Each structure stands twice: as structure tokens, then as C-alpha cells.
Amino acid sequence: ICGQARLGGASPDSREGSRASLGGSLGGSEGRRAAVLIAAAGVIGFFANGCEHTAATWLSPYGVRWCGLADERMAVMTSNYWTSMSAGRVAWAVGSSFVKSAWPVLLLNIALCSIGSLLFCSTSEGALLAAALSLGVGVSSIFPALVSLPAELRVEMTPQRLAVLQLMASAGEMLCPFAVGILFQMRMYSSFGPALTGMQAVAFTALATAFFVFRTPQPSYRPIRPADAVFH
């Protein structure tokens, strides 16, 4: 009987305790990964919406005051910016069912926003038009892709987490145009392009952080089998 007990290894109670301990550690790890994801998504949403509304608010004054373009030309350019954004959102609505992963969509969006932001550092009308179109398409589908990312990674999107994303996005669309407006009040019109580029740099850093965190494989629970018993 003693030999059989030793053959069985640890007692049932100790095995259950080990399972509970391992399950708790895995649960804590999943909780940390979920927190990283929501934090990264919040940062991306903050600067995506901030960039969108900053460009919409200050594109025309930037073109008139710094680039020397007429009000009529900048009015048309602003309209093209909104048109490209609307076209991007229609494209997302039509093609989102065919998208298998939100990662490349978010990367493409941030890349287009970065290209547009860098082009805003130029003062030529052609560069400004290309920047407006690129930025409009880039910001068009960032937030829908962010909302779909947790489900792809099997992270539950609770009402509280969705509220965090919405609040971060709303804060970005309020604070970013305000900050750039202060720079314009100080006649620092040339800061428009660099400010937008800095927003994209932070958004890309947040996206890369979340990607590498979820790319790291996590340990999985494996029940103790009789063959794993230790002979004494």
C-alpha cells in the first residue's frame, strides 16, 4: 500500500493545490496582458483621434499662414481631407469582414498617418494635398480596428474597457487640437507637421509594445498524469 501511494506521486489535495496555483498565475498573466492591450489601444486611440481633429482644425490656417496659399485653395483641400476619410471608412465597412487580423490594418493606418504627417512639413501645395489624403485614409479605420483587436486576441471587451477606449479617444480629440492651437497662437506654424509626426511615433510605439507582448508565448496548463509520478 505504501509503495502504491508513493507510485501515485503527490496526493490529490496537493495536485489540486498545484492546479489552483498554476491557474492563478496564468490568470494573473492574462490580466496583465489584457491591461497592456487596453492601455496600448487607449494611447493609439488618443493620438489617432487627436491627429484627425488636429488636422481638421488647423489644416486651413496652416496652409494660409505658413504656406501662403489662398483661403479658397485650403477650403478645397480640407474638403478633400474629409472626403478621403469618408472613403476610408466606407472601404472598412465593406471589406472588414474579409480582414483576418487587425494588426496589419493598424500598422498600415499608422504608416499612412506618418507619411501624411511628414508631408505636412513641406510648404508646397502638392505635398499638402498628398498629406491630407494620406492622413484622411490613415485615420479612417483606426478606431474600428482597435475595437476588434481584443476579440482577435481572446481578450474580453467589457463595458469598462470599451469606456476607457472611448474616453481616451475623446480626450485626444480635445487636447491635441488645443495643444497645437497654443503653438499657433505663439505663431509657431512650422510645428504643425512635427507635432503630427510625434503623435504617430507614440502611437507606433504603443502598437509595437502590444504586438510583442502578445507575440510572446504563454505557458499552458497540463494536468498531472500517472506517468509523471516520481518513484522514491
Side-chain angles (χ1 to χ4, degrees):
I1 296 176
C2 181
Q4 291 176 352
R6 291 177 179 175
L7 177 63
S11 66
D13 291 340
S14 63
R15 288 199 298 268
E16 290 299 329
S18 299
R19 292 178 183 178
S21 176
L22 181 57
S25 63
L26 291 176
S29 175
E30 291 301 319
R32 287 190 294 271
R33 283 155 60 92
V36 169
L37 176 63
I38 299 303
V43 171
I44 296 171
F46 180 94
F47 287 108
N49 273 35
C51 182
E52 171 188 337
H53 287 266
T54 298
T57 303
W58 298 113
L59 173 58
S60 183
Y62 173 71
V64 173
R65 296 295 183 90
W66 185 250
C67 303
L69 300 176
D71 290 328
E72 296 79 8
R73 302 296 295 174
M74 292 311 303
V76 173
M77 193 174 297
T78 303
S79 297
N80 290 333
Y81 169 72
W82 285 110
T83 300
S84 65
M85 189 189 308
S86 300
R89 287 173 176 167
V90 171
W92 170 263
V94 173
S96 58
S97 60
F98 302 100
V99 176
K100 296 183 179 180
S101 175
W103 290 117
V105 175
L106 290 170
L107 181 60
L108 176 62
N109 285 336
I110 294 177
L112 288 173
C113 290
S114 300
I115 293 172
S117 300
L118 289 171
L119 287 174
F120 274 130
C121 297
S122 173
T123 57
S124 69
E125 184 176 357
L128 290 186
L129 178 59
L133 296 177
S134 178
L135 192 67
V137 175
V139 300
S140 62
S141 58
I142 286 185
F143 196 78
L146 282 177
V147 174
S148 67
L149 186 59
E152 175 185 337
L153 301 175
R154 298 182 180 181
V155 173
E156 182 183 4
M157 179 56 80
T158 63
Q160 293 81 3
R161 290 171 178 172
L162 182 59
V164 169
L165 295 184
Q166 292 175 331
L167 288 173
M168 289 291 289
S170 297
E173 69 185 31
M174 175 183 65
L175 295 176
C176 291
F178 178 76
V180 174
I182 293 177
L183 295 176
F184 274 38
Q185 185 180 16
M186 300 169 61
R187 301 185 182 277
M188 298 175 62
Y189 303 113
S190 61
S191 63
F192 185 61
L196 295 177
T197 303
M199 295 180 195
Q200 303 314 312
V202 177
F204 176 77
T205 301
L207 180 67
T209 300
F211 177 77
F212 284 112
V213 166
F214 277 85
R215 188 181 180 184
T216 304
Q218 294 296 298
S220 58
Y221 169 70
R222 182 173 63 89
I224 299 176
R225 301 173 299 173
D228 298 328
V230 179
F231 289 91
H232 295 283

